[in-house]
Amino acid sequence: MDRAPVTLSPGEWQVMEALWEGPKTLMELVRLLKERTGWAKSTVTTMVRRMEDKGLLAYRQEGRTKTFLPAVSREDAAAAETESLLRRAYHGSVGLLVNTLAQREALSRADIDELYAVLRKAEEELP
């Protein structure tokens, strides 16, 4: 079954980052996100409930405690974010994105080598 593309708000990214590190109870999330973002318990609770409703989070019931885990992989979320950026900012053109990075001197020698390796692999996989 095809899922709709995953789109995360900046706040949802914060929650998902915490859960991609490993499953957590609500109180563990509250403590961690207070440390990282300064959010209050009510903010974290609301965010978790909304993300659960959207199908972004799952949970295991352990007695009276829910342990939350991501229902979306980091890879799927990153791919959707990348595709969205390409569509919005670069009209779907990977070349335009890479050109922008190259013109702004944002690519290191290691980045360029990595791009060549990715392109060689993609070329080998073409029919």
Side-chain angles (χ1 to χ4, degrees):
M1 172 173 93
D2 285 338
R3 289 176 55 133
V6 178
T7 55
L8 301 175
S9 70
E12 289 170 341
W13 272 100
Q14 292 283 343
V15 174
M16 294 303 283
E17 288 288 349
L19 292 175
W20 286 323
E21 294 168 6
K24 293 181 178 47
T25 65
L26 181 61
M27 291 315 297
E28 289 170 333
L29 276 172
V30 166
R31 279 191 294 279
L32 184 62
L33 292 169
K34 174 140 183 76
E35 218 173 84
R36 291 182 182 176
T37 66
W39 292 347
K41 180 181 176 183
S42 60
T43 303
V44 176
T45 303
T46 300
M47 182 80 70
V48 166
R49 185 174 27 81
R50 288 182 181 163
M51 291 175 73
E52 216 180 332
D53 291 345
K54 289 171 73 175
L56 298 172
L57 305 181
Y59 67 87
R60 291 187 309 249
Q61 190 75 42
E62 297 170 343
R64 294 176 46 200
T65 304
K66 287 181 179 179
T67 299
F68 292 93
L69 47 149
V72 173
S73 71
R74 179 190 299 275
E75 294 76 19
D76 286 347
E81 189 78 18
T82 301
E83 290 164 10
S84 174
L85 173 67
L86 275 175
R87 273 192 319 277
R88 286 180 290 112
Y90 298 99
H91 305 287
S93 171
V94 173
L96 191 55
L97 167 66
V98 174
N99 187 52
T100 300
L101 293 172
Q103 285 182 348
R104 295 187 179 260
E105 299 176 8
L107 297 174
S108 67
R109 169 49 54 198
D111 291 331
I112 293 168
D113 291 344
E114 187 176 357
L115 279 170
Y116 276 125
V118 167
L119 292 172
R120 277 191 295 276
K121 183 175 184 221
E123 189 173 50
E124 290 169 5
E125 294 174 359
L126 286 175

